[in-house]
Amino acid sequence: QVQVVETGGGLVQAGGSLRLSCAASGIIFRTNAMSWYRQAPGKQREMVASITSGGRANYADSVKGRFTISGDLAKNTVDLQMNSLKSEDTAVYYCLVNVTRDGDNQFDYWGQGSQVAVSS
């Protein structure tokens, strides 16, 4: 089994910054990618940023230039630095880890979510 734990988040004023961290543990042969998703009330969960084991990062258009994803996938950790936060960034943020546990079988594991609230 794999456990995914997020830390960080909280309440911040618009224009402020927050940092989220995520760590995975358990039986992991290789971490292929780690991603951050978010879900606002009444909306679908959406991808915010992702990073691969090769270091390639992708961002949603809505956060480009404001958010930065960084990680050490060999250590199964990833951070999301969020700057210039807007009220529309308010959501529960989830960490998603894609791992290979044995052979070529890949699995996805979600964290429990961390609340980010931005007041205008």
Side-chain angles (χ1 to χ4, degrees):
Q1 187 66 305
V2 174
Q3 296 78 41
V4 180
V5 177
E6 301 122 338
T7 56
L11 175 64
V12 66
Q13 288 188 331
S17 300
L18 283 174
R19 189 177 186 88
L20 298 174
S21 297
C22 172
S25 61
I27 302 174
I28 300 172
F29 175 71
R30 181 178 62 246
T31 298
N32 305 305
M34 298 183 77
S35 306
W36 288 98
Y37 281 69
R38 67 186 181 188
Q39 187 167 19
K43 295 188 177 181
Q44 289 188 330
R45 191 172 296 190
E46 61 176 357
M47 194 278 289
V48 176
S50 65
I51 188 167
T52 67
S53 57
R56 184 173 65 183
N58 286 304
Y59 297 92
D61 288 343
S62 58
V63 306
K64 283 181 180 177
R66 300 189 297 121
F67 291 11
T68 302
I69 190 170
S70 60
D72 185 345
L73 270 60
K75 297 182 178 179
N76 306 316
T77 61
V78 67
D79 293 332
L80 184 68
Q81 178 65 42
M82 303 181 291
N83 298 328
S84 302
L85 282 161
K86 306 175 181 179
S87 57
E88 51 263 44
D89 294 318
T90 295
V92 178
Y93 284 69
Y94 297 89
C95 180
L96 172 66
V97 182
N98 178 267
V99 305
T100 298
R101 294 185 63 186
D102 55 82
D104 293 325
N105 296 319
Q106 296 189 24
F107 300 87
D108 287 334
Y109 295 92
W110 290 93
Q112 79 286 355
S114 182
Q115 178 70 53
V116 171
V118 184
S119 62
S120 56

